[in-house]
Amino acid sequence: MTGTAAPARFQLFPLQVVRAARITPHMARITLGGGGLTGFVNGGLDQRIKLLLPQPGQSEPLTPPGDGEFGWYRTWRGMDPAVRPVLRTYTVREQRHDPDEIDLDIVVHGEAGGPGSRWALTAAPGDRVIVCGPAVEEAGGVEFRLPAGADWVLLAADEAALPAVAAILAELPAGLPVRVFAEVEEPGEEAYLAGPADRPGLGVTWLYRSKGAPTLPEAVRAAELPAGEPYAWIAGEAASVRELRRHLVGERGTDRRAVCFMGYWRAGRTEDQRADDGPQDEED
Ligand SMILES: Cc1cc2nc3c(=O)[nH]c(=O)nc-3n(C[C@H](O)[C@H](O)[C@H](O)COP(=O)(O)OP(=O)(O)OC[C@H]3O[C@@H](n4cnc5c(N)ncnc54)[C@H](O)[C@@H]3O)c2cc1C
């Protein structure tokens, strides 16, 4: 029997930092390119990728060898943690062509920030990284799926999920009402959604931790929301996301299939520790 293997949905793209800029007080935009993006097929919306970063003292990340879509990941797991690349998850904020570039918007979360946040603070043109990203149409890694018949969309996010919110807003059908609840550290971050905020039918509520504003779940619980069937997309700190999902499904009676929710990070746990913890953000 003969057969042609299906093309890998994801592959490793060796890339360079083209530009790095602070676009709000807590958000760095890292533009990656340098010729390595041939075959990168952004699925749009909340498309996630894995970023492989060098360890301190390395000029570039080691490339974990491996066959197939995620053969590299099996190799990576067996490598010495002191030398294997640091693995972090981010969203493709935008892909452009001529020249091929992608933007990653990375939250710089203070002194206690981990290697992803620290890397974003110092990234400079020419720095080398690897991205594990989509290599075919509909590769996966996109969770936002607007059902036919949704009357309006709820997007609830903290800083880590604002890149996905911005990318989703850029693709939603014109005229569909959207309510965004965005929890950020302090005033000054609103500029991040300045472009999409012009969209007709969009209402954005900003919540500031430093000023003691309500949390995301508290703000949504207290809000008067539009009538009709919503599609809700919630992402951010894992415990907050779970609490908000419970409110929507348990207290507001939202169809659980119409609530997409993802813990993007967990207070007090690094991404490596979360991977070791296993899935914890599933329905309960
Ligand atoms: C599908 C998906 C898409 C994501 N997209 C983005 C994105 O586009 N931009 C982005 O910035 N992040 C995004 N994230 C979140 C990002 O992967 C995590 O925040 C990650 O932990 C950052 O790694 P780090 O090395 O900076 O911190 P880690 O080493 O993982 O953690 C160090 C410490 O920082 C805390 N911490 C981690 N993240 C945050 C945060 N955002 N705010 C405050 N404290 C934090 C941890 O609890 C821990 O105590 C995404 C996550 C997922 C699952």
Short mmCIF file of all heavy atoms in Angstrom, two decimals, residues 19-81:
data_model
loop_
_atom_site.label_atom_id
_atom_site.label_comp_id
_atom_site.label_asym_id
_atom_site.label_seq_id
_atom_site.Cartn_x
_atom_site.Cartn_y
_atom_site.Cartn_z
N ARG A 19 12.08 43.93 15.23
CA ARG A 19 11.87 45.17 15.99
C ARG A 19 11.35 44.81 17.37
O ARG A 19 10.68 43.78 17.54
CB ARG A 19 10.80 46.08 15.35
CG ARG A 19 11.23 46.81 14.11
CD ARG A 19 10.11 47.72 13.57
NE ARG A 19 8.91 46.99 13.18
CZ ARG A 19 8.81 46.28 12.07
NH1 ARG A 19 9.84 46.18 11.25
NH2 ARG A 19 7.70 45.66 11.77
N ALA A 20 11.60 45.67 18.33
CA ALA A 20 11.02 45.50 19.68
C ALA A 20 10.63 46.87 20.17
O ALA A 20 11.42 47.81 20.07
CB ALA A 20 12.03 44.86 20.62
N ALA A 21 9.41 47.01 20.64
CA ALA A 21 8.94 48.33 21.09
C ALA A 21 8.01 48.16 22.28
O ALA A 21 7.31 47.16 22.39
CB ALA A 21 8.19 49.02 19.95
N ARG A 22 8.00 49.13 23.19
CA ARG A 22 7.04 49.14 24.29
C ARG A 22 5.82 49.89 23.79
O ARG A 22 5.93 51.07 23.48
CB ARG A 22 7.67 49.83 25.50
CG ARG A 22 6.84 49.70 26.76
CD ARG A 22 6.79 48.27 27.23
NE ARG A 22 8.03 47.86 27.85
CZ ARG A 22 8.35 48.07 29.12
NH1 ARG A 22 7.49 48.61 29.94
NH2 ARG A 22 9.51 47.67 29.59
N ILE A 23 4.68 49.20 23.65
CA ILE A 23 3.52 49.88 23.06
C ILE A 23 2.54 50.40 24.11
O ILE A 23 1.73 51.25 23.81
CB ILE A 23 2.82 48.99 22.01
CG1 ILE A 23 2.41 47.64 22.59
CG2 ILE A 23 3.70 48.82 20.79
CD1 ILE A 23 1.51 46.85 21.65
N THR A 24 2.58 49.87 25.32
CA THR A 24 1.89 50.46 26.47
C THR A 24 2.83 50.24 27.66
O THR A 24 3.82 49.52 27.54
CB THR A 24 0.52 49.79 26.77
OG1 THR A 24 0.76 48.47 27.28
CG2 THR A 24 -0.40 49.73 25.55
N PRO A 25 2.51 50.80 28.84
CA PRO A 25 3.44 50.62 29.97
C PRO A 25 3.76 49.15 30.27
O PRO A 25 4.87 48.83 30.69
CB PRO A 25 2.69 51.28 31.13
CG PRO A 25 1.83 52.32 30.48
CD PRO A 25 1.42 51.74 29.16
N HIS A 26 2.80 48.24 30.04
CA HIS A 26 3.04 46.84 30.42
C HIS A 26 3.04 45.88 29.23
O HIS A 26 2.96 44.67 29.42
CB HIS A 26 1.98 46.38 31.43
CG HIS A 26 2.11 47.06 32.75
ND1 HIS A 26 3.00 46.67 33.73
CD2 HIS A 26 1.48 48.14 33.26
CE1 HIS A 26 2.90 47.46 34.77
NE2 HIS A 26 1.97 48.37 34.51
N MET A 27 3.10 46.40 28.00
CA MET A 27 3.05 45.51 26.84
C MET A 27 4.20 45.81 25.88
O MET A 27 4.36 46.95 25.44
CB MET A 27 1.72 45.67 26.10
CG MET A 27 1.44 44.61 25.06
SD MET A 27 0.97 43.03 25.80
CE MET A 27 -0.82 43.23 25.92
N ALA A 28 4.98 44.75 25.57
CA ALA A 28 6.06 44.88 24.58
C ALA A 28 5.62 44.22 23.28
O ALA A 28 5.04 43.12 23.33
CB ALA A 28 7.32 44.21 25.10
N ARG A 29 5.85 44.90 22.17
CA ARG A 29 5.56 44.27 20.86
C ARG A 29 6.88 43.80 20.26
O ARG A 29 7.77 44.60 20.01
CB ARG A 29 4.86 45.24 19.91
CG ARG A 29 4.75 44.68 18.48
CD ARG A 29 3.64 45.35 17.71
NE ARG A 29 2.34 45.11 18.33
CZ ARG A 29 1.23 45.77 18.02
NH1 ARG A 29 1.27 46.70 17.09
NH2 ARG A 29 0.08 45.48 18.62
N ILE A 30 6.97 42.48 20.05
CA ILE A 30 8.17 41.90 19.47
C ILE A 30 7.81 41.43 18.06
O ILE A 30 6.95 40.55 17.90
CB ILE A 30 8.68 40.70 20.30
CG1 ILE A 30 8.74 41.04 21.79
CG2 ILE A 30 10.03 40.24 19.77
CD1 ILE A 30 9.73 42.09 22.19
N THR A 31 8.44 42.03 17.08
CA THR A 31 8.18 41.66 15.69
C THR A 31 9.26 40.68 15.25
O THR A 31 10.46 40.95 15.38
CB THR A 31 8.18 42.91 14.79
OG1 THR A 31 7.15 43.79 15.27
CG2 THR A 31 7.91 42.55 13.34
N LEU A 32 8.80 39.51 14.77
CA LEU A 32 9.72 38.44 14.37
C LEU A 32 9.67 38.25 12.87
O LEU A 32 8.61 38.37 12.24
CB LEU A 32 9.32 37.13 15.06
CG LEU A 32 9.36 37.11 16.59
CD1 LEU A 32 8.85 35.77 17.12
CD2 LEU A 32 10.77 37.37 17.11
N GLY A 33 10.79 37.95 12.28
CA GLY A 33 10.88 37.69 10.84
C GLY A 33 12.28 37.21 10.53
O GLY A 33 12.76 36.28 11.15
N GLY A 34 12.89 37.89 9.55
CA GLY A 34 14.28 37.53 9.24
C GLY A 34 14.39 36.43 8.22
O GLY A 34 15.42 35.78 8.12
N GLY A 35 13.29 36.17 7.50
CA GLY A 35 13.37 35.20 6.40
C GLY A 35 12.90 33.80 6.74
O GLY A 35 12.80 32.95 5.87
N GLY A 36 12.59 33.55 8.01
CA GLY A 36 12.25 32.18 8.39
C GLY A 36 10.77 31.86 8.42
O GLY A 36 10.38 30.79 8.88
N LEU A 37 9.93 32.78 7.92
CA LEU A 37 8.49 32.57 8.09
C LEU A 37 7.82 31.89 6.89
O LEU A 37 6.59 31.74 6.88
CB LEU A 37 7.78 33.91 8.35
CG LEU A 37 7.82 34.37 9.81
CD1 LEU A 37 7.39 35.83 9.92
CD2 LEU A 37 6.91 33.49 10.69
N THR A 38 8.60 31.48 5.90
CA THR A 38 7.99 30.82 4.75
C THR A 38 7.21 29.60 5.22
O THR A 38 7.73 28.76 5.95
CB THR A 38 9.09 30.38 3.76
OG1 THR A 38 9.86 31.52 3.45
CG2 THR A 38 8.49 29.77 2.50
N GLY A 39 5.94 29.53 4.82
CA GLY A 39 5.11 28.39 5.22
C GLY A 39 4.36 28.59 6.52
O GLY A 39 3.61 27.71 6.94
N PHE A 40 4.51 29.76 7.16
CA PHE A 40 3.77 30.03 8.39
C PHE A 40 2.35 30.47 8.01
O PHE A 40 2.17 31.42 7.26
CB PHE A 40 4.47 31.14 9.18
CG PHE A 40 3.89 31.40 10.55
CD1 PHE A 40 4.44 30.80 11.67
CD2 PHE A 40 2.80 32.25 10.72
CE1 PHE A 40 3.92 31.05 12.94
CE2 PHE A 40 2.27 32.49 11.97
CZ PHE A 40 2.83 31.88 13.08
N VAL A 41 1.33 29.74 8.51
CA VAL A 41 -0.06 30.00 8.10
C VAL A 41 -0.88 30.39 9.33
O VAL A 41 -1.42 29.53 10.03
CB VAL A 41 -0.68 28.75 7.43
CG1 VAL A 41 -2.07 29.08 6.89
CG2 VAL A 41 0.20 28.21 6.32
N ASN A 42 -0.95 31.69 9.59
CA ASN A 42 -1.68 32.15 10.76
C ASN A 42 -3.17 31.85 10.63
O ASN A 42 -3.79 32.21 9.64
CB ASN A 42 -1.47 33.66 10.91
CG ASN A 42 -2.18 34.25 12.10
OD1 ASN A 42 -2.50 33.53 13.05
ND2 ASN A 42 -2.44 35.55 12.07
N GLY A 43 -3.73 31.18 11.63
CA GLY A 43 -5.17 30.89 11.61
C GLY A 43 -6.01 32.06 12.07
O GLY A 43 -7.24 32.00 12.06
N GLY A 44 -5.36 33.16 12.53
CA GLY A 44 -6.09 34.35 12.96
C GLY A 44 -6.75 34.17 14.31
O GLY A 44 -6.46 33.22 15.06
N LEU A 45 -7.66 35.09 14.65
CA LEU A 45 -8.38 35.06 15.92
C LEU A 45 -7.38 34.86 17.07
O LEU A 45 -6.41 35.61 17.15
CB LEU A 45 -9.46 33.97 15.88
CG LEU A 45 -10.54 34.21 14.79
CD1 LEU A 45 -11.37 32.96 14.54
CD2 LEU A 45 -11.45 35.38 15.19
N ASP A 46 -7.58 33.84 17.92
CA ASP A 46 -6.69 33.67 19.08
C ASP A 46 -5.60 32.63 18.80
O ASP A 46 -5.22 31.86 19.70
CB ASP A 46 -7.49 33.33 20.34
CG ASP A 46 -8.38 32.10 20.17
OD1 ASP A 46 -8.63 31.67 19.01
OD2 ASP A 46 -8.84 31.55 21.19
N GLN A 47 -5.09 32.60 17.59
CA GLN A 47 -4.05 31.62 17.21
C GLN A 47 -2.89 31.64 18.20
O GLN A 47 -2.25 32.66 18.42
CB GLN A 47 -3.51 31.94 15.82
CG GLN A 47 -2.34 31.05 15.37
CD GLN A 47 -2.81 29.66 14.96
OE1 GLN A 47 -3.55 29.53 14.02
NE2 GLN A 47 -2.35 28.64 15.69
N ARG A 48 -2.61 30.47 18.80
CA ARG A 48 -1.48 30.40 19.73
C ARG A 48 -0.28 29.76 19.06
O ARG A 48 -0.43 28.97 18.12
CB ARG A 48 -1.85 29.64 21.00
CG ARG A 48 -2.15 28.18 20.77
CD ARG A 48 -2.32 27.46 22.11
NE ARG A 48 -2.83 26.12 21.91
CZ ARG A 48 -4.11 25.79 22.01
NH1 ARG A 48 -5.00 26.72 22.31
NH2 ARG A 48 -4.51 24.56 21.80
N ILE A 49 0.88 30.11 19.57
CA ILE A 49 2.12 29.48 19.12
C ILE A 49 2.96 29.16 20.35
O ILE A 49 2.64 29.60 21.46
CB ILE A 49 2.93 30.41 18.18
CG1 ILE A 49 3.16 31.79 18.81
CG2 ILE A 49 2.20 30.58 16.84
CD1 ILE A 49 4.42 31.97 19.54
N LYS A 50 4.00 28.36 20.17
CA LYS A 50 4.99 28.17 21.23
C LYS A 50 6.25 28.92 20.84
O LYS A 50 6.71 28.80 19.68
CB LYS A 50 5.32 26.68 21.40
CG LYS A 50 4.18 25.85 21.94
CD LYS A 50 3.94 26.06 23.41
CE LYS A 50 2.79 25.19 23.91
NZ LYS A 50 2.36 25.56 25.27
N LEU A 51 6.79 29.66 21.77
CA LEU A 51 8.04 30.39 21.55
C LEU A 51 9.15 29.65 22.28
O LEU A 51 9.03 29.37 23.47
CB LEU A 51 7.88 31.82 22.08
CG LEU A 51 9.04 32.77 21.92
CD1 LEU A 51 9.36 33.03 20.44
CD2 LEU A 51 8.73 34.11 22.60
N LEU A 52 10.22 29.32 21.57
CA LEU A 52 11.36 28.63 22.16
C LEU A 52 12.48 29.67 22.30
O LEU A 52 12.94 30.25 21.30
CB LEU A 52 11.84 27.46 21.29
CG LEU A 52 10.98 26.19 21.30
CD1 LEU A 52 9.65 26.38 20.56
CD2 LEU A 52 11.75 25.02 20.66
N LEU A 53 12.89 29.91 23.54
CA LEU A 53 13.85 30.97 23.85
C LEU A 53 15.17 30.37 24.31
O LEU A 53 15.19 29.30 24.93
CB LEU A 53 13.30 31.86 24.96
CG LEU A 53 12.03 32.63 24.65
CD1 LEU A 53 11.47 33.29 25.92
CD2 LEU A 53 12.30 33.66 23.57
N PRO A 54 16.29 31.09 24.06
CA PRO A 54 17.57 30.58 24.57
C PRO A 54 17.64 30.66 26.09
O PRO A 54 16.99 31.50 26.70
CB PRO A 54 18.60 31.52 23.93
CG PRO A 54 17.84 32.75 23.56
CD PRO A 54 16.41 32.36 23.34
N GLN A 55 18.42 29.78 26.68
CA GLN A 55 18.73 29.89 28.10
C GLN A 55 19.76 31.01 28.30
O GLN A 55 20.47 31.37 27.35
CB GLN A 55 19.35 28.57 28.60
CG GLN A 55 18.38 27.41 28.62
CD GLN A 55 17.41 27.45 29.80
OE1 GLN A 55 17.56 28.29 30.70
NE2 GLN A 55 16.45 26.55 29.80
N PRO A 56 19.85 31.56 29.51
CA PRO A 56 20.88 32.58 29.76
C PRO A 56 22.25 32.06 29.33
O PRO A 56 22.59 30.91 29.59
CB PRO A 56 20.82 32.78 31.28
CG PRO A 56 19.43 32.36 31.66
CD PRO A 56 19.05 31.28 30.70
N GLY A 57 23.01 32.89 28.63
CA GLY A 57 24.35 32.48 28.19
C GLY A 57 24.37 31.87 26.80
O GLY A 57 25.44 31.72 26.22
N GLN A 58 23.22 31.48 26.27
CA GLN A 58 23.16 30.94 24.91
C GLN A 58 22.85 32.08 23.93
O GLN A 58 22.03 32.93 24.24
CB GLN A 58 22.08 29.87 24.78
CG GLN A 58 22.31 28.62 25.61
CD GLN A 58 21.13 27.65 25.52
OE1 GLN A 58 20.00 28.04 25.19
NE2 GLN A 58 21.39 26.39 25.85
N SER A 59 23.47 32.04 22.74
CA SER A 59 23.18 33.10 21.76
C SER A 59 21.92 32.79 20.97
O SER A 59 21.32 33.67 20.36
CB SER A 59 24.36 33.29 20.81
OG SER A 59 24.59 32.08 20.13
N GLU A 60 21.52 31.53 20.96
CA GLU A 60 20.26 31.14 20.31
C GLU A 60 19.77 29.85 20.94
O GLU A 60 20.56 29.11 21.53
CB GLU A 60 20.44 30.96 18.80
CG GLU A 60 21.47 29.93 18.41
CD GLU A 60 21.70 29.94 16.90
OE1 GLU A 60 20.81 29.46 16.18
OE2 GLU A 60 22.75 30.42 16.48
N PRO A 61 18.47 29.56 20.82
CA PRO A 61 17.98 28.32 21.43
C PRO A 61 18.48 27.10 20.66
O PRO A 61 18.62 27.16 19.44
CB PRO A 61 16.45 28.45 21.30
CG PRO A 61 16.23 29.42 20.18
CD PRO A 61 17.41 30.34 20.16
N LEU A 62 18.78 26.03 21.38
CA LEU A 62 19.11 24.77 20.71
C LEU A 62 17.85 24.28 20.00
O LEU A 62 16.75 24.43 20.51
CB LEU A 62 19.54 23.71 21.74
CG LEU A 62 20.78 24.04 22.58
CD1 LEU A 62 21.03 22.92 23.60
CD2 LEU A 62 21.98 24.23 21.68
N THR A 63 18.02 23.69 18.82
CA THR A 63 16.85 23.14 18.11
C THR A 63 16.68 21.69 18.51
O THR A 63 17.53 20.86 18.19
CB THR A 63 17.04 23.24 16.59
OG1 THR A 63 17.29 24.60 16.25
CG2 THR A 63 15.81 22.75 15.85
N PRO A 64 15.57 21.35 19.20
CA PRO A 64 15.38 19.94 19.57
C PRO A 64 15.08 19.13 18.32
O PRO A 64 14.12 19.42 17.62
CB PRO A 64 14.16 19.97 20.51
CG PRO A 64 13.86 21.41 20.77
CD PRO A 64 14.47 22.20 19.66
N PRO A 65 15.90 18.12 17.99
CA PRO A 65 15.61 17.34 16.79
C PRO A 65 14.38 16.46 17.00
O PRO A 65 14.01 16.17 18.13
CB PRO A 65 16.87 16.47 16.63
CG PRO A 65 17.51 16.43 17.97
CD PRO A 65 17.07 17.64 18.72
N GLY A 66 13.74 16.06 15.91
CA GLY A 66 12.59 15.17 16.04
C GLY A 66 11.79 15.15 14.77
O GLY A 66 11.72 16.16 14.06
N ASP A 67 11.18 14.01 14.48
CA ASP A 67 10.38 13.86 13.27
C ASP A 67 8.92 14.20 13.57
O ASP A 67 8.46 14.09 14.70
CB ASP A 67 10.43 12.42 12.76
CG ASP A 67 11.83 12.07 12.31
OD1 ASP A 67 12.54 13.00 11.86
OD2 ASP A 67 12.23 10.90 12.44
N GLY A 68 8.20 14.53 12.49
CA GLY A 68 6.76 14.71 12.61
C GLY A 68 6.43 16.02 13.30
O GLY A 68 7.30 16.84 13.60
N GLU A 69 5.12 16.16 13.58
CA GLU A 69 4.63 17.43 14.09
C GLU A 69 5.23 17.83 15.42
O GLU A 69 5.64 18.95 15.62
CB GLU A 69 3.11 17.32 14.28
CG GLU A 69 2.37 17.97 13.17
CD GLU A 69 0.91 17.63 13.21
OE1 GLU A 69 0.36 17.36 14.30
OE2 GLU A 69 0.33 17.62 12.14
N PHE A 70 5.25 16.91 16.34
CA PHE A 70 5.69 17.25 17.69
C PHE A 70 6.82 16.36 18.17
O PHE A 70 7.04 16.22 19.37
CB PHE A 70 4.50 17.22 18.65
CG PHE A 70 3.49 18.30 18.34
CD1 PHE A 70 2.24 17.97 17.83
CD2 PHE A 70 3.81 19.64 18.52
CE1 PHE A 70 1.33 18.98 17.52
CE2 PHE A 70 2.90 20.65 18.20
CZ PHE A 70 1.65 20.31 17.70
N GLY A 71 7.56 15.74 17.18
CA GLY A 71 8.73 14.94 17.54
C GLY A 71 9.72 15.77 18.33
O GLY A 71 10.35 15.29 19.28
N TRP A 72 9.85 17.06 17.94
CA TRP A 72 10.79 17.94 18.64
C TRP A 72 10.42 18.06 20.11
O TRP A 72 11.29 18.19 20.97
CB TRP A 72 10.83 19.33 17.99
CG TRP A 72 9.56 20.12 18.17
CD1 TRP A 72 8.50 20.17 17.34
CD2 TRP A 72 9.22 20.96 19.29
NE1 TRP A 72 7.51 20.98 17.83
CE2 TRP A 72 7.92 21.49 19.03
CE3 TRP A 72 9.87 21.33 20.46
CZ2 TRP A 72 7.27 22.35 19.92
CZ3 TRP A 72 9.21 22.19 21.35
CH2 TRP A 72 7.94 22.69 21.08
N TYR A 73 9.10 18.01 20.40
CA TYR A 73 8.64 18.21 21.78
C TYR A 73 9.04 17.01 22.65
O TYR A 73 9.45 17.17 23.80
CB TYR A 73 7.12 18.42 21.81
CG TYR A 73 6.59 18.71 23.19
CD1 TYR A 73 6.93 19.89 23.84
CD2 TYR A 73 5.77 17.79 23.84
CE1 TYR A 73 6.45 20.15 25.12
CE2 TYR A 73 5.29 18.05 25.12
CZ TYR A 73 5.64 19.23 25.75
OH TYR A 73 5.17 19.47 27.03
N ARG A 74 8.93 15.80 22.06
CA ARG A 74 9.37 14.62 22.81
C ARG A 74 10.86 14.73 23.12
O ARG A 74 11.30 14.45 24.24
CB ARG A 74 9.08 13.34 22.00
CG ARG A 74 7.61 12.93 22.06
CD ARG A 74 7.39 11.56 21.42
NE ARG A 74 7.52 11.60 19.98
CZ ARG A 74 6.53 11.96 19.15
NH1 ARG A 74 5.36 12.32 19.63
NH2 ARG A 74 6.73 11.96 17.85
N THR A 75 11.65 15.17 22.14
CA THR A 75 13.09 15.34 22.39
C THR A 75 13.32 16.40 23.46
O THR A 75 14.12 16.24 24.37
CB THR A 75 13.81 15.81 21.10
OG1 THR A 75 13.30 15.07 20.01
CG2 THR A 75 15.30 15.63 21.22
N TRP A 76 12.57 17.50 23.32
CA TRP A 76 12.73 18.62 24.26
C TRP A 76 12.49 18.16 25.70
O TRP A 76 13.24 18.51 26.61
CB TRP A 76 11.73 19.73 23.89
CG TRP A 76 11.74 20.92 24.81
CD1 TRP A 76 12.55 22.00 24.72
CD2 TRP A 76 10.92 21.12 25.96
NE1 TRP A 76 12.29 22.88 25.74
CE2 TRP A 76 11.29 22.36 26.52
CE3 TRP A 76 9.91 20.37 26.57
CZ2 TRP A 76 10.68 22.88 27.66
CZ3 TRP A 76 9.32 20.88 27.73
CH2 TRP A 76 9.69 22.12 28.26
N ARG A 77 11.46 17.33 25.91
CA ARG A 77 11.15 16.86 27.26
C ARG A 77 12.30 16.07 27.87
O ARG A 77 12.47 16.07 29.09
CB ARG A 77 9.88 16.01 27.25
CG ARG A 77 8.62 16.84 27.08
CD ARG A 77 7.39 15.97 26.93
NE ARG A 77 7.14 15.18 28.11
CZ ARG A 77 6.37 15.57 29.13
NH1 ARG A 77 5.77 16.74 29.07
NH2 ARG A 77 6.18 14.80 30.16
N GLY A 78 13.08 15.38 27.00
CA GLY A 78 14.19 14.57 27.52
C GLY A 78 15.48 15.35 27.68
O GLY A 78 16.47 14.80 28.20
N MET A 79 15.50 16.62 27.25
CA MET A 79 16.75 17.39 27.32
C MET A 79 16.99 17.93 28.73
O MET A 79 16.05 18.11 29.51
CB MET A 79 16.69 18.57 26.33
CG MET A 79 16.75 18.16 24.87
SD MET A 79 16.34 19.54 23.73
CE MET A 79 17.84 20.52 23.82
N ASP A 80 18.25 18.22 29.02
CA ASP A 80 18.62 18.82 30.30
C ASP A 80 17.91 20.18 30.42
O ASP A 80 18.11 21.06 29.57
CB ASP A 80 20.14 19.00 30.32
CG ASP A 80 20.64 19.70 31.57
OD1 ASP A 80 19.79 20.14 32.39
OD2 ASP A 80 21.87 19.82 31.71
N PRO A 81 17.09 20.38 31.48
CA PRO A 81 16.38 21.65 31.62
C PRO A 81 17.30 22.86 31.65
O PRO A 81 16.87 23.98 31.37
CB PRO A 81 15.64 21.50 32.96
CG PRO A 81 15.51 20.02 33.15
CD PRO A 81 16.73 19.40 32.51
#
